[in-house]
């Protein structure tokens, strides 16, 4: 096989149907190519402002991290196949920048991620993680549309 064949595929997952479609595609691709997958979830901590500062307890932050880790492990367990190795990784921060950082740090050959296909005002207000990753990633990015009508 040529060196351009992906051996390490990063699959960002936000627990949506669209992300699940991207994971299914990546699993099929990894199985055919003999690649392994890193399943990544990036969570951001909501900012609740009180008066002049933000108030978040260590317990609250721990619960967010624990819930995200549990949900990611469930996704990975359901995705396990004998022919594809899957690692899981949980990171905190801005989704697109953490995806890029993970791809660089882990020498990823390909990123496969779902795109919600938002347009107009929804895109302006919510932004597009997929678009930012496509523009800034250190490796090729393959975007996968979710099921028709998926949020």
């Amino acid at each position: 096989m040529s060196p351009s064949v992906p051996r390490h595929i990063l699959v960002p997952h936000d627990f949506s149907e669209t992300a699940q479609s991207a994971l299914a595609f990546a699993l099929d691709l990894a199985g055919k190519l003999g690649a392994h997958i890193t399943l990544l979830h990036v969570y951001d901590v909501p900012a609740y402002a009180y008066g002049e500062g933000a108030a978040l307890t260590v317990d609250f932050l721990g619960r967010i991290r624990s819930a995200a880790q549990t949900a990611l492990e469930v996704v990975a367990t359901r995705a396990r196949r004998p022919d594809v190795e899957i690692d899981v990784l949980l990171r905190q921060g801005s989704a697109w920048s953490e995806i890029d950082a993970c791809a660089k740090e882990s020498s990823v050959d390909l990123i496969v991620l779902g795109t919600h296909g938002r347009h107009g005002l929804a895109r302006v207000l919510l932004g597009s993680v997929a678009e930012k990753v496509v523009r800034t990633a250190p490796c090729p990015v393959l975007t996968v549309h979710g099921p028709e009508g998926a949020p």
Side-chain angles (χ1 to χ4, degrees), residues 18-146:
T18 302
Q20 200 57 38
S21 293
L23 177 56
F25 187 93
L27 285 165
D28 288 343
L29 185 62
K32 292 174 183 166
L33 299 176
H36 76 276
I37 288 178
T38 296
L39 182 61
L40 169 70
H41 176 70
V42 180
Y43 68 97
D44 208 354
V45 176
Y48 296 108
Y50 296 101
E52 303 239 347
L56 292 173
T57 66
V58 173
D59 180 55
F60 181 71
L61 296 174
R63 284 187 285 158
I64 291 173
R65 180 174 180 73
S66 179
Q69 185 70 47
T70 300
L72 185 60
E73 292 292 342
V74 167
V75 170
T77 298
R78 289 182 180 155
R80 298 254 184 244
R81 295 172 36 169
D83 60 334
V84 179
E85 178 187 336
I86 300 174
D87 300 318
V88 296
L89 182 60
L90 182 66
R91 294 177 74 138
Q92 177 186 343
S94 166
W96 72 270
S97 63
E98 291 300 321
I99 293 167
D100 281 3
C102 180
K104 289 174 189 162
E105 293 164 13
S106 301
S107 301
V108 167
D109 301 309
L110 176 68
I111 299 171
V112 176
L113 80 158
T115 179
H116 297 279
R118 292 185 184 105
H119 299 287
L121 186 58
R123 183 172 181 182
V124 170
L125 294 175
L126 299 173
S128 172
V129 171
E131 179 187 1
K132 289 176 185 171
V133 171
V134 165
R135 285 188 290 121
T136 61
C139 61
V141 178
L142 188 147
T143 61
V144 177
H145 288 282

